């Protein structure tokens, strides 16, 4: 999906304009910021008025950052697998992946703060939109949302309560028993 100049970080856009001249209405960038499509000047357009673009390759760390971030997440997920929990060699490899990601993130944030800010804001947006339950399987506890026997609660130290008398004693609201227990 193409990115319009108005949607970019102002610091990043200023760098681009300083190097390649002011942006025009037909300009756009690839979604990973690796390519800038600079539209030709309206005066240079032919009879049909078609827009052509000069293709400018840009140093973009977006794809690399996302790939390293994915690798880190996958390596972290693998640490939860039963077979790898006690594997010290795998833990050492996971630490190397984590250290590589952290070192690159520090480099990226320090040397290309404008691109890093755009990545961070796009990640924050996607986190807001992401569902937190999509990848989670159902509960495997037998009484997660159902009734359990009272004995299982009394074993934990809870005491049964007379709900009817407790509701009547409540001072916060008036009690009306509509359903008559």
């Amino acid at each position: 999906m193409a990115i319009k100049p108005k949607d970019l970080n102002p610091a990043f856009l200023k760098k681009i304009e300083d190097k390649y001249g002011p942006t025009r209405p037909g300009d756009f960038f690839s979604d990973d910021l690796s390519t800038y499509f600079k539209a030709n000047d309206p005066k240079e357009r032919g009879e049909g008025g078609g827009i052509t673009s000069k293709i400018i390759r840009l140093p973009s760390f977006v794809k690399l950052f996302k790939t390293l971030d994915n690798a880190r997440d996958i390596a972290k997920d693998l640490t939860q697998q039963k077979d790898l929990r006690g594997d010290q060699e795998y833990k050492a490899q996971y630490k190397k992946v984590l250290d590589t990601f952290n070192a690159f993130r520090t480099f990226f944030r320090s040397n290309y703060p404008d691109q890093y800010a755009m990545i961070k804001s796009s990640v924050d947006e996607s986190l807001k939109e992401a569902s937190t339950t999509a990848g989670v399987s159902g509960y495997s506890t037998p009484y997660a949302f159902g009734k359990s026997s009272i004995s299982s609660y009394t074993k934990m130290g809870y005491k049964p309560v007379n709900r009817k008398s407790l509701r009547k004693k409540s001072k916060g609201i008036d009690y009306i028993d509509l359903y008559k227990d």
Side-chain angles (χ1 to χ4, degrees):
M1 187 168 158
I3 301 173
K4 295 180 181 178
K6 67 178 180 69
D7 298 331
L8 293 172
N9 178 304
F12 177 75
L13 190 58
K14 184 176 179 343
K15 274 187 187 178
I16 295 295
E17 288 181 335
D18 289 348
K19 192 166 186 173
Y20 302 107
T23 58
R24 300 186 183 116
D27 291 0
F28 63 96
F29 295 81
S30 61
D31 60 347
D32 64 355
L33 301 176
S34 63
T35 311
Y36 171 35
F37 299 89
K38 184 164 184 63
N40 63 346
D41 190 2
K43 296 173 195 166
E44 298 171 2
R45 295 182 187 159
E47 275 184 47
I51 299 174
T52 58
S53 297
K54 179 179 180 185
I55 298 173
I56 302 168
R57 299 279 178 210
L58 301 173
S60 172
F61 298 102
V62 174
K63 194 172 189 177
L64 178 58
F65 181 80
K66 287 181 179 179
T67 303
L68 287 173
D69 189 34
N70 259 354
R72 179 195 60 170
D73 291 345
I74 292 167
K76 183 178 181 181
D77 288 344
L78 284 173
T79 61
Q80 303 302 315
Q81 299 236 343
K82 204 181 229 183
D83 297 343
L84 295 176
R85 280 192 198 142
D87 189 346
Q88 295 305 317
E89 288 181 44
Y90 178 74
K91 285 183 180 180
Q93 293 301 318
Y94 167 65
K95 183 158 176 27
K96 286 180 184 178
V97 171
L98 191 60
D99 291 345
T100 300
F101 172 77
N102 288 335
F104 179 75
R105 182 179 55 192
T106 302
F107 163 80
F108 189 35
R109 190 174 45 221
S110 301
N111 298 312
Y112 297 90
D114 41 3
Q115 282 190 39
Y116 181 77
M118 288 187 295
I119 291 295
K120 187 154 172 32
S121 67
S122 72
V123 167
D124 291 344
E125 273 183 35
S126 65
L127 285 177
K128 287 177 190 173
E129 295 174 10
S131 168
T132 57
T133 58
V136 178
S137 60
Y139 285 93
S140 61
T141 55
Y143 302 110
F145 297 108
K147 289 190 173 190
S148 175
S149 64
I150 291 177
S151 65
S152 62
Y153 295 114
T154 55
K155 286 179 187 174
M156 292 187 281
Y158 291 99
K159 296 176 185 170
V161 175
N162 183 340
R163 293 188 300 171
K164 202 176 236 184
S165 66
L166 186 62
R167 278 190 247 147
K168 287 182 180 178
K169 290 179 185 176
S170 173
K171 296 179 181 174
I173 57 171
D174 293 330
Y175 170 74
I176 300 172
D177 193 359
L178 296 174
Y179 301 105
K180 305 213 186 230
D181 289 3

